[in-house]
C-alpha cells in the first residue's frame, strides 16, 4: 500500500465493497457507506483528507485488529457491538488484501446468509 495514494486505496476499497453480492452505496449523514439488505457493513466516511479511514464489524478478528496502533472501537456505542474504526495515516503500511479481508468479514457478519453464501470459499 505504500506505493499507492490514499485516494486510490479509498477508491479500491469502495469498488471492492460494492462488488459484494447485493451491496449498494448510500450517503446518510453526508458520509459514504456500503449496505447490504438496508444494513451498513462498511462506513467509508468522506473522500476528503489524506488519511484512509473506515469502520467495519469484526466479530472474529476484532480483538486482534484493535491491537494495531491505527485501530479503535467505533464511536456512538458501535464498538460494543464489534465495530472497529481504522484510521491510517499516509505512512502506515498494510496490504490492501488485509483491508479487503476486514470488509469481507464485516459483510459476512451483516449480510443475509443466502447472500454471504455466494462469496467464494463460503
Amino acid at each position: 500500500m505504500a506505493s499507492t495514494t490514499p485516494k486510490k486505496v479509498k477508491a479500491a476499497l469502495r469498488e471492492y465493497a460494492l462488488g459484494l453480492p447485493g451491496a449498494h452505496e448510500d450517503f446518510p449523514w453526508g458520509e459514504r457507506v456500503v449496505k447490504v439488505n438496508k444494513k451498513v457493513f462498511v462506513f467509508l466516511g468522506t473522500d476528503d483528507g489524506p488519511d484512509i479511514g473506515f469502520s467495519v464489524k469484526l466479530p472474529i478478528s476484532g480483538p486482534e485488529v484493535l491491537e494495531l496502533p491505527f485501530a479503535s472501537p467505533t464511536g456512538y456505542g458501535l464498538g460494543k457491538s464489534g465495530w472497529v474504526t481504522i484510521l491510517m495515516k499516509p505512512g502506515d503500511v498494510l496490504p490492501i488484501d488485509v483491508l479487503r479481508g476486514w470488509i469481507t468479514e464485516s459483510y459476512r457478519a451483516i449480510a443475509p446468509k443466502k447472500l454471504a453464501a455466494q462469496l467464494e470459499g463460503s
Side-chain angles (χ1 to χ4, degrees):
M1 197 166 78
S3 63
T4 190
T5 66
K7 187 173 182 174
K8 287 181 182 178
V9 172
K10 291 177 190 180
L13 295 177
R14 175 184 170 269
E15 182 179 331
Y16 178 77
L18 287 171
L20 295 170
H24 66 278
E25 194 168 51
D26 198 3
F27 294 89
W29 319 289
E31 294 190 7
R32 182 184 311 274
V33 302
V34 182
K35 297 180 175 181
V36 61
N37 205 28
K38 299 183 182 181
K39 294 182 180 181
V40 175
F41 69 93
V42 61
F43 292 89
L44 294 170
T46 64
D47 293 335
D48 301 334
D51 299 335
I52 298 166
F54 63 98
S55 297
V56 285
K57 186 168 186 166
L58 301 177
I60 299 166
S61 65
E64 180 182 312
V65 174
L66 284 169
E67 293 180 16
L68 298 171
F70 44 77
S72 62
T74 302
Y76 305 107
L78 292 173
K80 294 177 184 175
S81 299
W83 285 85
V84 176
T85 295
I86 308 299
L87 184 57
M88 300 175 68
K89 303 289 182 196
D92 294 333
V93 178
L94 203 59
I96 196 154
D97 288 345
V98 171
L99 304 178
R100 287 179 181 143
W102 293 339
I103 290 173
T104 301
E105 180 179 341
S106 187
Y107 175 86
R108 288 181 185 277
I110 302 296
K113 290 179 183 178
K114 190 174 186 177
L115 285 176
Q118 293 178 26
L119 297 177
E120 289 183 35
S122 294

